[in-house]
Amino acid sequence: MTQTLTLRRPDDWHLHLRDGAMLQAVLPETARHFARAIIMPNLVPPVVTGDQAAAYRDRIMAALPDGMTFEPLMTLYLTEDTDPDDVAQAAASGLVKAVKLYPAGATTNSASGVRDFDKVRPVLERMADIGLPLCVHGEVTDADIDIFDREAVFIDRVLDPVRRATPGLRVVMEHITTANGVDYVKSNDTDLGATITTHHLIINRNHILVGGIKPHYYCLPVAKREEHRLALRAAATSGDDRFFLGTDSAPHTDALKEHPCGCAGCFTATNTMALLAHVFEEENALDKLEGFASRNGPGFYKLPVNIDTITLTKSETATKFPAKIDMGEGTVTVFDPGFPVYWNVTA
Ligand code: NCD
Ligand code: ZN
């Protein structure tokens, strides 16, 4: 018996595409299913100015295989030297859809991030004026804060004060991993949304550490306790339009993942939609998947919902996803949920 589900074509509101050979290898994995994605600017060096974002967009479009369509929604990496006029210009031209805040040192390629929030106040105020969203990597980086507490502490010490000091600033809490993140979003009426990744709906911290260390499950923010995974599942499948999909699909070569100091990031672009259908079905919420993956994100970003559709089909045999994507010099491992999945995107 087969079951099908047709949705408006989804978008990915948090995606790492990298550059060069890696970009070439991973872009089709996203463009196959997704119409648009918010493109993370944490290249080396980061995408800081409007000119750099335009050049990066051109490289992305040049890497798109013939016959595929895809619209990259560009972001600027916020630094203490970011020029508010440059941000406003890049937004007004339609090129840039958000600015990304990385606390300095929080994650991969975040050394140029913000240390002193007073220094970025003029940029944040301009963004509030023009309605340009701030995408936030919500973790403090203080050495004395336990890595599993860094999101909760960030909300209290940084996010809430910044939002109070900048009325009207529209904020996306990206890749929330805790019940604290869910609760903070729910306690605010406007101007605040959150993305949730596919993998954080599937793994908790035991998956990373029990029975041997699993480098392909290591990402930042790191997966938390089971109670937090359940809170994320409840939020994603609730129909609350403040929660939407941002895969944070973050490719690193296997050599750098399977390493004494392995990189953070799960690569989920290839199988995200099938995995989400599995998760939403488990939660008896298949009717909420279109909201989460295709409607709530455009709603927050004030963009139209995609016109065309994708169809997912559930069959009796488990779907075979590629284990790895070859990128010439090395491979990238596709996220393995650890259970058979019967859904696949079929049209
Ligand atoms: C991201 C990356 O590799 O660029 N890694 C990750 O674990 N998510 C950076 C990020 O979004 O934190
Ligand atoms: Zn990310």
Side-chain angles (χ1 to χ4, degrees):
M1 197 189 63
T2 60
Q3 191 182 343
T4 65
L5 178 67
T6 296
L7 317 171
R8 293 295 184 115
R9 186 171 293 281
D11 303 302
D12 185 348
W13 300 94
H14 181 130
L15 176 66
H16 297 270
L17 283 178
R18 316 301 190 201
D19 218 338
M22 182 73 95
L23 166 63
Q24 198 87 38
V26 301
L27 177 59
E29 300 303 300
T30 287
R32 199 171 290 134
H33 300 157
F34 295 89
R36 300 170 287 196
I38 283 276
I39 309 300
M40 286 297 119
N42 63 332
L43 305 181
V44 189
V47 179
V48 172
T49 65
D51 285 350
Q52 290 165 348
Y56 186 29
R57 182 189 55 187
D58 292 348
R59 298 199 296 282
I60 294 168
M61 294 315 286
L64 190 66
D66 287 345
M68 280 189 156
T69 55
F70 178 69
E71 185 186 354
L73 308 173
M74 306 308 292
T75 63
L76 298 179
Y77 185 118
L78 182 62
T79 73
E80 292 177 3
D81 300 319
T82 294
D83 172 8
D85 290 335
D86 184 59
V87 170
Q89 218 168 37
S93 74
L95 169 72
V96 157
K97 295 291 189 270
V99 170
K100 174 72 189 236
L101 165 66
Y102 286 104
T107 184
T108 313
N109 306 335
S110 62
S112 324
V114 176
R115 280 184 176 77
D116 178 355
F117 284 83
D118 285 338
K119 295 214 171 108
V120 296
R121 178 144 311 288
V123 182
L124 300 183
E125 280 167 4
R126 182 71 74 86
M127 290 169 61
D129 283 349
I130 63 178
L132 187 67
L134 180 71
C135 293
V136 176
H137 182 110
E139 290 189 290
V140 291
T141 54
D142 315 47
D144 60 332
I145 305 294
D146 189 278
I147 190 166
F148 292 101
D149 298 334
R150 288 179 170 198
E151 181 171 296
V153 173
F154 181 88
I155 294 168
D156 293 342
R157 286 199 194 162
V158 182
L159 182 59
D160 199 58
V162 164
R163 290 187 61 247
R164 283 176 196 280
T166 326
L169 181 65
R170 311 194 65 234
V171 172
V172 183
M173 290 176 74
E174 300 208 278
H175 42 51
I176 56 170
T177 58
T178 58
N180 313 64
V182 170
D183 291 345
Y184 186 69
V185 171
K186 284 200 199 155
S187 69
N188 287 270
D189 286 337
T190 52
D191 298 331
L192 185 63
T195 58
I196 300 177
T197 76
T198 310
H199 51 282
H200 287 114
L201 297 173
I202 293 174
I203 61 169
N204 63 32
R205 64 195 204 178
N206 278 16
H207 293 88
I208 311 171
L209 296 170
V210 172
I213 193 159
K214 314 290 190 318
H216 296 290
Y217 288 158
Y218 173 61
C219 69
L220 289 170
V222 70
K224 308 294 193 297
R225 287 175 180 276
E226 176 66 357
E227 68 198 62
H228 295 292
R229 185 185 75 103
L230 296 177
L232 298 174
R233 277 202 172 214
T237 59
S238 66
D240 184 329
D241 65 6
R242 292 169 292 189
F243 298 101
F244 43 94
L245 174 63
T247 65
D248 195 15
S249 182
H252 293 276
T253 58
D254 288 331
L256 291 175
K257 290 289 294 175
E258 298 163 11
H259 186 277
C261 184
C263 292
C266 295
F267 180 69
T268 55
T270 306
N271 51 3
T272 272
M273 289 312 299
L275 298 183
L276 289 175
H278 180 101
V279 166
F280 277 63
E281 186 180 39
E282 277 184 346
E283 301 291 328
N284 284 317
L286 275 176
D287 61 324
K288 302 293 195 311
L289 180 55
E290 184 176 62
F292 181 70
S294 313
R295 290 188 180 274
N296 301 349
F300 186 89
Y301 279 90
K302 302 190 191 312
L303 292 169
V305 169
N306 296 313
I307 305 239
D308 64 337
T309 59
I310 63 166
T311 297
L312 289 137
T313 303
K314 186 184 183 188
S315 59
E316 275 169 13
T317 45
T319 309
K320 284 200 175 64
F321 300 107
K324 292 176 190 296
I325 303 297
D326 188 1
M327 53 154 294
E329 285 174 41
T331 51
V332 174
T333 292
V334 175
F335 179 78
D336 174 2
F339 48 74
V341 173
Y342 296 91
W343 288 94
N344 201 7
V345 180
T346 47

